[in-house]
Amino acid sequence: MKKNIDEILSRMTLEQKSELCMGQDSWYTKDFPELGIPAVRMSDGTNGVRIIRTREEIKRILGIEAESTFFDVTVLSQNSEKINYIDPATCYPSGSAIASSWDTNLVSSIAAAVAKECHYKQVDLLLGPGLNIRRNPMAGRSFEYFSEDPVVSGEIAKAYVTGLQNEGIGGTLKHFTCNNSETLRTKTDSVVEERALREIYLAGFERALQAKPWAVMSSYNLLNGVQMAENKEYLTDILRGEWGYEGMVVSDWWGIKDRIKAAIAGNDLEMPYNAFNPHILSDAVRAGELPEATLDQMCHNILTLAFKAVENHKVVEHIDYEKHHEIARVALEESCVLLKNTDHILPLRRDEKQRILVAGSIAKNMRYQGGGCALINPTRLDVPYDEIVKFAGENQVDYSAGYDDADQTSPEMLKDAIAKAKTCDVVILFVGVAVSTDIEGCDRKRLDIEESHIQLIEEISRVNSNIIVVLSNGEAVTMPWANKVKAILEIFMCGQAGGSAIANILFGKTNPSGKLTVTFVEKIEDLPSYPEFPGENARNVYNEGIYVGYRYYEIKKIKPLYPFGYGLSYTDFAYRNLHLSQAEMDDNQTLTVSFEVENIGAVEGKEVVQLYVAPPICRLRRPLKELKSFAKVNLKPGERKQVVMTLSYRDFAYYDPEFRDWIVDSGNYQILVGKSSQEICLEKSVLISSTKERHVRVRIDTVHAELFQDEKATLAYFDFLVEKGVFNLEDIGDELRTSFSQSFVGIYNTLPTYAKQFISKDEVQKFLDGLNKQLGRDPQEAN
Ligand code: BGC
């Protein structure tokens, strides 16, 4: 294919090349039939395929004259009338939901189903998955993303891309990177330390790249002062240079402000079509502002993707939407998280005498998806109330709305709910956040659920103590009411089959097995980025650095409401026999960790097992522990399985900006295996020896105490001073070291107090340059 592409490129004019590097409309790249170049069709998003109907389709199908701009359809939410401007497709649970399954096979199977729908709709490239770190739950698009942790984010995204691409549909990792809030998202500067970038915000992308996604989408924001769409350091030096990415980079829609800078930075495709710009790149080549070789490389990346898409075309004439609805149902059943289950109130008995009140209007009008470019027009919708009735029988179930669809309640509504709650044995209470809370384009206004929903919980809890809350929200909420209810089932944005999945869980047909991929806090003030988030004057400073999510709560000893990795089951699991392949090792060896998990309860269930590493004291501060591996294990009652995980260099390393590298310090590393970040069941340590010699750069203002930590550098330094006559050989000893160590000023400013002879700053600097070279430091580094 390469030769073919080169040959096609040789026949293209500069203008054609420029046009190829921009969409031909909102969703297609430009085709050139005369050159045999096909168009690539793109579509959002992670939880389904979103095809916007054309004007003709809207007229033919809906009988109305209408057209929407890209901006119109990007602000829609599930209840917008214009949802019908979108072609129906299966609406799967949100990213925040499916990640909570911690099940990479499940995620791949969802993606495979999405891919089939893509083929059916002749889509080549899906604009997902989105895997930005869920830094703060107030971020409007967090519901699309996977986790506060890069290992979970990266593994889930990798599984998603694998599922898509195995079916011949390209995946797009987005939004690269640090688009962690929606407020002024195209002009906000995310100000992030290099270490936090490497360990938290880039790490998930780096991991997901193992799946070789066809595309990566640059994000809207600026990062440390540079527009991401134009950021060469990230789009080329790191993405392609360090990580070896060979696919295409596409801009986020209208995210490019300076096309030439973006091209030089490595942004191949500008989306969507921009009537002001079609020949901007060819003009730039002619004006000597853009090398033609750069434009050729951009075209090469686009053409490679376009031909790959053609090779993978499949004619799919029919989609079994019933089957896909089932996949959406299973997806939620595996993902929803049982947060509380006092007195084993769940699963509900199927008992003819038991009267159930279903309360909360969400039970009939489900809040099943977030808004924005992730919005899907579902093929059908399961209604939780109806599904509950199917299990319990119509005569056993009563209903009270409690609040209306605009989340308003009234004395009458509350009175009705209270009266009915009094006569029922158990209340299934549907509460959550307002429609449009989880949406692209704006951040959340509150972390709690709706006021009227809280009021309903409080009123009902006065007359009935058997409350089971079903919670609809895309991202974490606070729950000051949690102690008033017996059970809480977190269903996130549950997708179109949520209703039946919820009923299956409530009545025990399915055993819940999801666990949280973010921490739920008790109050908004506990959030690491509170109150700064989302910044001011379009500057969002990531003050918490590497301490994101559980890394922060643990080091600050803040008790979360529900910790990262937490979730209950209808059965229980025991962990046993942790074995490490060695007790001591070099940092270049791998460690095999094995342990057993047993289902010690009465029903079949799945357990998400988690492995964390707690480091020793290192040169730089580190989180108390970090997740490094996980697995989901299915076990029948009494069944026991062995789980094997391997750890290698990067699992023990931290990123040290001083060395611009990943470092493993020597010491004892604790291997922790457990049910959640807060429930560690097994623990053993391994002694790791660092094999790499590393030296901190010595600068003219390095203080002596710092220098003396490096014996090699210290000896060379004293030799130099003796050679220059600044000291006599016999002066060099412990005493001098002690005196020098007391100086809090740098090397050169300390010398006049002790020196026997003058030495110039230039001479010392020259020596340091040589020394740094000898120590293996890059001579290009600033002094
Ligand atoms: C969103 C992207 C999306 C694109 C196309 C943008 O506004 O940020 O996630 O893929 O629109 O819909």
Side-chain angles (χ1 to χ4, degrees):
M1 192 54 76
K2 178 158 190 330
K3 191 166 163 285
N4 195 4
I5 289 176
D6 288 345
E7 191 269 324
I8 292 172
L9 269 174
S10 71
R11 287 192 283 128
M12 290 176 84
T13 63
L14 276 182
E15 279 64 32
Q16 286 172 323
K17 290 178 188 174
S18 188
E19 289 165 23
L20 178 68
C21 294
M22 178 194 290
Q24 71 169 295
D25 59 15
S26 285
W27 307 110
Y28 288 88
T29 60
K30 184 152 173 52
D31 61 337
F32 296 87
E34 66 281 20
L35 293 163
I37 299 175
V40 174
R41 187 178 204 185
M42 293 164 261
S43 163
D44 288 301
T46 309
N47 55 323
V49 192
R50 185 185 74 136
I51 298 286
I52 313 294
R53 286 173 163 157
T54 60
R55 190 187 181 91
E56 294 68 43
E57 286 166 339
I58 293 176
K59 181 151 190 218
R60 181 166 46 79
I61 300 163
L62 307 177
I64 48 174
E65 280 290 350
E67 185 162 38
S68 280
T69 65
F70 167 75
F71 299 109
D72 283 338
V73 286
T74 307
V75 295
L76 302 185
S77 67
Q78 65 163 69
N79 292 351
S80 314
E81 272 179 29
K82 284 187 176 175
I83 196 168
N84 287 317
Y85 289 12
I86 301 169
D87 199 32
T90 312
C91 176
Y92 298 91
S94 59
S96 59
I98 63 171
S100 308
S101 71
W102 298 65
D103 185 337
T104 50
N105 292 330
L106 174 91
V107 170
S108 289
S109 70
I110 299 167
V114 171
K116 289 205 179 83
E117 295 188 39
C118 284
H119 279 301
Y120 180 59
K121 292 169 192 276
Q122 279 130 43
V123 167
D124 305 298
L125 181 70
L126 193 81
L127 301 172
L131 67 149
N132 294 70
I133 288 291
R134 286 159 67 186
R135 171 179 177 239
N136 186 311
M138 301 298 281
R141 279 184 98 170
S142 264
F143 76 96
E144 291 184 49
Y145 305 145
F146 299 134
S147 177
E148 66 190 21
D149 179 90
V151 172
V152 181
S153 299
E155 287 298 316
I156 298 292
K158 189 164 84 182
Y160 199 98
V161 171
T162 305
L164 283 177
Q165 295 189 175
N166 283 348
E167 288 293 327
I169 296 296
T172 308
L173 298 184
K174 71 183 187 185
H175 309 86
F176 188 64
T177 186
C178 289
N179 187 172
N180 303 99
S181 79
E182 292 301 288
T183 308
L184 296 177
R185 63 182 157 146
T186 58
K187 69 182 279 246
T188 291
D189 185 10
S190 299
V191 182
V192 195
E193 283 294 341
E194 189 181 0
R195 184 165 173 217
L197 273 166
R198 292 291 186 158
E199 292 187 22
I200 306 290
Y201 299 98
L202 295 180
F205 284 94
E206 186 181 5
R207 191 175 273 263
L209 280 180
Q210 291 164 8
K212 299 199 179 308
W214 293 9
V216 169
M217 187 190 289
S218 58
S219 57
Y220 280 133
N221 54 293
L222 286 80
L223 175 58
N224 295 328
V226 184
Q227 197 77 44
M228 263 316 292
E230 297 152 18
N231 204 328
K232 182 166 172 297
E233 182 181 355
Y234 292 88
L235 300 184
T236 296
D237 302 350
I238 294 179
L239 182 65
R240 298 188 191 280
E242 271 185 46
W243 297 344
Y245 175 64
E246 289 178 345
M248 180 188 83
V249 173
V250 56
S251 74
D252 200 345
W253 270 229
W254 300 107
I256 289 184
K257 295 181 184 167
D258 182 325
R259 182 58 179 121
I260 298 159
K261 271 194 195 158
I264 291 169
N267 220 321
D268 303 315
L269 177 63
E270 174 178 18
M271 284 304 292
Y273 174 72
N274 179 341
F276 289 179
N277 267 1
H279 294 136
I280 191 166
L281 296 176
S282 41
D283 292 349
V285 171
R286 291 216 161 83
E289 290 163 7
L290 176 72
E292 188 170 356
T294 305
L295 183 58
D296 283 350
Q297 185 58 50
M298 294 158 68
C299 291
H300 197 284
N301 296 341
I302 296 168
L303 291 175
T304 305
L305 190 151
F307 289 119
K308 205 176 331 178
V310 172
E311 275 166 26
N312 282 283
H313 275 169
K314 238 189 247 172
V315 181
V316 173
E317 283 173 347
H318 168 78
I319 290 287
D320 186 345
Y321 280 118
E322 282 309 301
K323 195 170 146 205
H324 285 203
H325 186 77
E326 280 302 287
I327 295 173
R329 178 183 59 73
V330 173
L332 188 73
E333 285 176 15
E334 297 290 318
S335 304
C336 53
V337 183
L338 183 62
L339 294 173
K340 182 170 181 180
N341 195 14
T342 307
D343 300 337
H344 299 287
I345 187 169
L346 288 176
L348 286 168
R349 290 165 289 124
R350 281 191 242 180
D351 173 351
E352 279 171 19
K353 291 198 202 83
Q354 176 174 253
R355 285 200 58 76
I356 299 174
L357 172 66
V358 174
S361 85
I362 292 182
K364 291 203 173 173
N365 291 316
M366 200 58 208
R367 305 211 173 144
Y368 62 97
Q369 64 171 330
C373 76
L375 193 81
I376 304 297
N377 185 7
T379 57
R380 56 179 265 210
L381 264 183
D382 287 351
V383 178
Y385 172 80
D386 298 343
E387 302 299 326
I388 290 169
V389 166
K390 282 185 199 159
F391 274 97
E394 192 142 19
N395 297 333
Q396 307 311 120
V397 184
D398 211 340
Y399 171 76
S400 180
Y403 52 85
D404 62 18
D405 290 343
D407 301 303
Q408 298 302 310
T409 187
S410 64
E412 296 69 41
M413 289 176 114
L414 290 173
K415 212 166 130 198
D416 180 69
I418 294 164
K420 288 176 177 161
K422 273 185 188 159
T423 65
C424 285
D425 301 298
V426 53
V427 183
I428 305 176
L429 186 41
F430 284 78
V431 296
V433 297
V435 172
S436 295
T437 298
D438 298 288
I439 194 165
E440 178 173 349
C442 53
D443 293 317
R444 289 168 64 184
K445 311 271 177 310
R446 48 187 281 144
L447 193 51
D448 314 32
I449 60 170
E450 293 309 302
E451 218 39 76
S452 57
H453 302 200
I454 299 178
Q455 209 179 339
L456 188 61
I457 296 174
E458 278 167 359
E459 294 295 341
I460 293 182
S461 70
R462 290 203 183 99
V463 298
N464 193 317
S465 59
N466 291 326
I467 302 179
I468 296 159
V469 159
V470 178
L471 199 55
S472 289
N473 47 287
E475 173 54 293
V477 292
T478 45
M479 303 179 208
W481 42 265
N483 60 4
K484 296 196 161 67
V485 306
K486 279 205 172 153
I488 304 172
L489 181 66
E490 170 61 75
I491 60 165
F492 306 101
M493 292 281 113
C494 63
Q496 67 176 51
S500 49
I502 294 161
N504 285 348
I505 298 267
L506 293 178
F507 289 91
K509 190 169 170 196
T510 307
N511 189 351
S513 60
K515 291 195 181 184
L516 296 179
T517 58
V518 291
T519 309
F520 279 38
V521 290
E522 283 195 348
K523 49 187 191 311
I524 192 167
E525 293 81 3
D526 290 346
L527 296 174
S529 41
Y530 181 87
E532 294 96 343
F533 179 91
E536 279 170 343
N537 288 330
R539 251 187 121 240
N540 191 357
V541 183
Y542 290 35
N543 277 325
E544 73 282 13
I546 55 169
Y547 297 98
V548 176
Y550 66 91
R551 291 164 167 81
Y552 176 82
Y553 306 113
E554 290 190 355
I555 209 137
K556 298 281 274 191
K557 293 196 167 46
I558 295 172
K559 192 176 158 297
L561 175 63
Y562 294 113
F564 174 82
Y566 168 85
L568 300 172
S569 163
Y570 294 153
T571 186
D572 206 357
F573 302 95
Y575 287 60
R576 297 196 180 87
N577 298 332
L578 175 62
H579 177 76
L580 305 187
S581 56
Q582 60 255 56
E584 290 183 21
M585 61 186 258
D586 287 344
D587 59 4
N588 48 24
Q589 292 176 297
T590 55
L591 181 73
T592 307
V593 180
S594 63
F595 56 93
E596 288 170 357
V597 200
E598 183 179 343
N599 182 344
I600 52 168
V603 290
E604 185 169 352
K606 291 181 182 165
E607 171 70 332
V608 176
V609 295
Q610 300 157 45
L611 187 159
Y612 296 83
V613 172
I617 292 176
C618 295
R619 202 182 88 82
L620 300 188
R621 268 190 303 274
R622 299 186 67 175
L624 297 184
K625 65 171 178 294
E626 295 179 282
L627 182 83
K628 295 300 169 187
S629 190
F630 62 86
K632 194 160 190 178
V633 192
N634 186 56
L635 294 163
K636 298 207 164 57
E639 194 183 0
R640 179 191 289 212
K641 278 188 188 154
Q642 193 187 45
V643 180
V644 181
M645 294 170 168
T646 44
L647 300 175
S648 51
Y649 189 87
R650 274 290 290 270
D651 297 313
F652 302 105
Y654 62 97
Y655 187 84
D656 191 337
E658 168 67 23
F659 302 110
R660 309 211 78 183
D661 204 357
W662 294 91
I663 309 291
V664 175
D665 283 352
S666 297
N668 258 312
Y669 289 75
Q670 299 296 120
I671 308 299
L672 312 170
V673 173
K675 299 179 175 185
S676 81
S677 60
Q678 295 298 293
E679 201 175 345
I680 299 301
C681 307
L682 304 170
E683 185 170 340
K684 265 197 175 154
S685 76
V686 56
L687 179 64
I688 302 186
S689 311
S690 168
T691 55
K692 299 179 184 54
E693 191 182 320
R694 277 199 178 84
H695 300 276
V696 173
R697 186 175 188 83
V698 189
R699 296 176 160 85
I700 201 114
D701 64 348
T702 293
V703 296
H704 283 97
E706 224 183 330
L707 171 73
F708 295 161
Q709 286 171 19
D710 187 328
E711 200 51 25
K712 192 167 173 182
T714 305
L715 295 179
Y717 171 70
F718 281 137
D719 282 352
F720 163 72
L721 294 180
V722 170
E723 189 194 314
K724 291 286 168 189
V726 181
F727 293 103
N728 301 328
L729 190 55
E730 53 277 17
D731 298 333
I732 307 292
D734 288 350
E735 224 171 286
L736 192 69
R737 280 198 191 215
T738 311
S739 312
F740 274 9
S741 296
Q742 282 157 357
S743 162
F744 50 83
V745 298
I747 291 173
Y748 192 70
N749 286 355
T750 303
L751 287 177
T753 309
Y754 303 93
K756 298 222 149 73
Q757 191 176 306
F758 170 77
I759 182 162
S760 76
K761 205 176 197 172
D762 283 351
E763 271 180 292
V764 176
Q765 186 58 59
K766 214 162 140 217
F767 159 72
L768 292 181
D769 291 345
L771 174 66
N772 285 318
K773 207 164 159 206
Q774 199 189 322
L775 295 176
R777 302 301 309 221
D778 178 359
Q780 301 299 323
E781 268 178 298
N783 277 309

